[in-house]
Amino acid sequence: MAQEPISLDRALDSFAEQWSPRIVTAVNDYDVRVAKVEGEHVWHAHDHTDEFFLVLDGELRIALREPSGERTVVLPKGSVFTVPRGVEHKPHAPVPTAILLFEPTGTVTTGDRHDEVPAHVDTTTGHALG
Ligand code: NI
């Protein structure tokens, strides 16, 4: 497949749906995805993979249920964080936010186990760029 450079700004401008990642490229067997997010996602966990977040714009908060208790990490624009495999987490964005995710191809946005998925959250392995 011929590869051309991809503008993340243009990729983000090409869709409006929240919590519905687009796959911008792949690295070996990992996807690079971008998503627009605002408000709450859903508690979920990925049993077989870590999940990498980079905040491109806005602010992402990720609630975590760890063995020592629950805490929330705050990621301003330009921050990265990796949720370890198996850890229940719930992303939340207090303002319109753009994120980049790096995770194995086929990883489902709502994980291998999750609370009831609200209507505004897309359960997907990522959509192709339009
Ligand atoms: Ni996740």
Side-chain angles (χ1 to χ4, degrees):
M1 183 172 72
Q3 290 283 341
E4 297 295 338
I6 295 160
S7 159
L8 294 181
D9 286 341
R10 287 180 60 184
L12 287 161
D13 283 345
S14 72
F15 65 99
E17 294 87 350
Q18 303 268 351
W19 300 112
S20 185
R22 268 33 180 196
I23 300 168
V24 292
T25 189
V27 184
N28 297 316
D29 52 355
Y30 273 64
D31 286 345
V32 177
R33 306 177 186 173
V34 294
K36 291 177 167 174
V37 302
E38 187 177 13
E40 304 246 329
H41 196 250
V42 63
W43 280 108
H44 68 281
H46 308 276
D47 288 329
H48 307 293
T49 182
D50 299 347
E51 186 168 47
F52 171 91
F53 294 83
L54 162 64
V55 178
L56 300 170
D57 197 18
E59 179 183 292
L60 187 71
R61 300 176 184 182
I62 306 175
L64 302 163
R65 288 177 178 152
E66 297 175 319
S68 55
E70 193 171 311
R71 68 173 174 135
T72 297
V73 292
V74 178
L75 287 72
K77 176 180 178 177
S79 299
V80 302
F81 186 79
T82 300
V83 176
R85 74 183 63 191
V87 172
E88 290 182 51
H89 56 287
K90 183 175 76 170
H92 166 241
V95 296
T97 291
I99 60 175
L100 180 148
L101 300 128
F102 188 62
E103 55 200 335
T105 300
T107 300
V108 178
T109 49
T110 50
D112 301 296
R113 44 197 168 92
H114 53 76
D115 285 356
E116 187 173 343
V117 178
H120 70 276
V121 170
D122 186 15
T123 294
T124 178
T125 55
H127 300 280
L129 269 181

